[in-house]
Amino acid sequence: MGKSKKRQVVNKENLIDINKKKCIGCTACAINCTDITGISVLKSTQEGKSTVVPKMGTFEETGCIYCGQCTLICPTTAITARNDIEKVEKELGNGKYMVAFAAPALKATLGEEFNLPIGSNVEGKVQASARKLGFEKVFDTDFGADVTVIEEGTELIKRLSRKENLPMFTSCCSSWVRYVEIFRPELINNLSTCKSPQQIMGASIKTYFANKFKILPENIYVVSIKPCTSKKYEAERDEMGREGYKDIDTVLTVREYGELLRSKGIDITALPSEPSDSMLGEYTGAGVIFGLSSGVMEATLRTVAYYLNDDISKIEKIQYSKIDGTKNSKEAEVIIGSQLMKVAVISGLSDVEVFLKDDKWKEYTFVEVMSCPGGCINGGGTPRVIRKSEIIEKKCIACGTCIDNCPVGAISFNKNGYAEVSQMQCVGCTLCSKLCRTSAPKINVYDKGTQEKLTKNYIDLRKNVLRNIDEKSQKKVSVENKEVKEMYDNYIGNPDEERARLLFHTQYKDRSSELKINKRTCRGKKRRR
């Protein structure tokens, strides 16, 4: 009897999938997870072949924060985030009032899905392409970011006046929020209660917008286009909706949105840029920089300075210094009004535990945390970059470790007796660079469109797009957003008060009981004290 065609080859979970048939056992996903998050969700295993599995049985039980960095590094796309394109396709022809909005990071990343050079500004292309797909209204999450800034800035000022729950940690990164709930529930009261820009957009559309246009919220289908995989998780949290409906119906990553457009024959390079629809479409430079590490900090402090009648321009000149022991994090002191604030920007969750190692973290006023290094412009749902290894011969000691462990046989000894990489065979798993004791392998990044080796960090190229938009913006402070002001005047009332708290704020819960803990781990011991 032949093998059944229904044989399951995918270990499918709610948000992250591992296709063991495509896995080459390079463990790039597991290494990236450990390096970036410090959690170490995955382990190598031999199940017929070398592959990876969650350490404690499932992603959820191991404490996965769904940041998707594992999916970003995988050279064979064996590990992926749940694909929700079919859900959107179904609803586009189903009679619902279709609304889409896109994160600031799309302006700096979507072009790569259509082979534009990394660092291309495609502002306005989501609006044009989404309308081609059949969406009735198209907005920018940047509007929601401006609202987040106003709510968060107001909340910070109140906490400062009351001297309570300081430092205040940002809450816009859903992976960071999940990390706190699972691994650091003692910090829950320090999290800002403000929802993320995504959820504020969803709440605004299904209340303020729905009320204005006399549409039942349940008849509106909201699609959020994000650089982040954990936004799928955030949208499904129980508290993110009301009266039986969710504020966000489906989240698509940048990669998914690019795939959807290509499947419909829509090429953004052939479309002129279009503006967002009015009412929830205006945004300031402060809303745009939410997409990069330190942007949330800067945007919020601009509004705090505005409220305290201080010079906003000095916020753009904050002198940061590196936080000792961290990879990508920094700190600074700034005086706003008469208030001295010690602030920190943490990029990558592996730096969090370094930051929290003693009670010095309690000396800070405001702390921004983003799970992905560089911020949302390097989120788990952004376009994958091409990586290739190159061996620096003078550093090679001819031990053969990289040759023995290369999962695709791309490395061999050259005529001089040293390791050499076949560029044609290399898949960019980066394993050789992790194993080499002399750092002989160098990982180069190539532009998918031009096929040229990058001379600048691809994350910086993406960041520059958002920075340039901010620099050219006439409005730099979120409170200057006219459409946001109209929403507060006509529907919400004052920031961080009754209706604002109902729609734009949330609560968190201790989720540590969801975690299956290996008693041998340090984190496990710490939690049992």
Side-chain angles (χ1 to χ4, degrees), residues 114-395:
F114 294 87
N115 292 325
L116 290 176
I118 296 175
S120 295
N121 182 348
V122 293
E123 187 176 16
K125 299 291 188 178
V126 170
Q127 287 77 356
S129 59
R131 289 178 185 126
K132 281 278 188 183
L133 287 170
F135 283 91
E136 301 268 0
K137 297 289 183 181
V138 190
F139 303 119
D140 278 281
T141 313
D142 314 38
F143 176 94
D146 278 331
V147 177
T148 298
V149 167
I150 291 170
E151 292 294 328
E152 203 163 60
T154 303
E155 184 182 12
L156 179 59
I157 291 171
K158 286 183 177 180
R159 291 194 188 196
L160 283 167
S161 66
R162 298 166 182 165
K163 294 182 171 55
E164 65 180 15
N165 296 329
L166 294 171
M168 187 173 84
F169 287 90
T170 57
S171 56
C172 53
C173 175
S174 46
S175 289
W176 158 239
V177 169
R178 180 167 165 81
Y179 183 92
V180 170
E181 291 182 318
I182 293 175
F183 297 109
R184 286 286 188 168
E186 70 272 19
L187 297 180
I188 283 176
N189 289 336
N190 292 89
L191 282 174
S192 165
T193 61
C194 188
K195 291 180 180 178
S196 72
Q198 168 176 280
Q199 297 307 134
I200 282 179
M201 283 299 296
S204 299
I205 291 166
K206 292 204 175 179
T207 57
Y208 172 58
F209 176 86
N211 182 68
K212 175 76 172 179
F213 286 92
K214 304 290 190 291
I215 308 171
L216 291 173
E218 53 267 34
N219 289 338
I220 300 175
Y221 195 89
V222 176
V223 177
S224 172
I225 310 168
K226 292 289 165 180
C228 175
T229 52
S230 74
K231 289 299 175 182
K232 293 174 182 282
Y233 161 77
E234 180 183 57
E236 294 170 1
R237 287 175 64 116
D238 292 339
E239 67 272 20
M240 297 303 179
R242 66 201 57 76
E243 299 175 7
Y245 65 82
K246 291 291 184 185
D247 286 327
I248 305 296
D249 294 290
T250 301
V251 176
L252 296 180
T253 64
V254 183
R255 296 198 297 269
E256 283 174 280
Y257 187 64
E259 181 184 341
L260 174 60
L261 292 179
R262 290 191 298 273
S263 73
K264 303 300 181 184
I266 299 173
D267 184 349
I268 67 166
T269 65
L271 298 176
S273 295
E274 296 179 5
S276 288
D277 286 292
S278 60
M279 191 172 174
L280 301 174
E282 184 180 342
Y283 52 87
T284 69
V288 172
I289 59 174
F290 249 62
L292 52 90
S293 176
S294 79
V296 179
M297 172 68 65
E298 185 174 327
T300 304
L301 291 183
R302 288 182 195 179
T303 286
V304 171
Y306 180 93
Y307 283 148
L308 297 181
N309 298 313
D310 206 340
D311 181 12
I312 294 166
S313 64
K314 72 179 182 181
I315 303 302
E316 299 173 0
K317 302 172 185 175
I318 295 175
Q319 297 297 311
Y320 288 99
S321 58
K322 184 178 179 181
I323 298 175
D324 290 343
T326 65
K327 298 175 184 176
N328 303 302
S329 303
K330 55 190 181 181
E331 62 184 356
E333 288 188 350
V334 58
I335 298 175
I336 301 179
S338 59
Q339 181 73 51
L340 173 65
M341 299 186 189
K342 189 174 182 180
V343 300
V345 173
I346 299 177
S347 178
L349 289 186
S350 60
D351 282 353
V352 165
E353 291 303 324
V354 177
F355 182 75
L356 297 173
K357 66 182 179 181
D358 52 41
D359 284 345
K360 288 184 179 179
W361 67 270
K362 296 178 181 178
E363 300 171 2
Y364 291 80
T365 307
F366 189 34
V367 182
E368 176 200 300
V369 182
M370 287 194 178
S371 299
C372 300
C376 303
I377 41 82
N378 187 40
T382 56
R384 297 181 179 91
V385 297
I386 298 172
R387 293 179 173 87
K388 296 283 185 181
S389 177
E390 175 188 357
I391 306 291
I392 302 171
E393 189 173 295
K394 67 179 181 180
K395 287 187 174 183

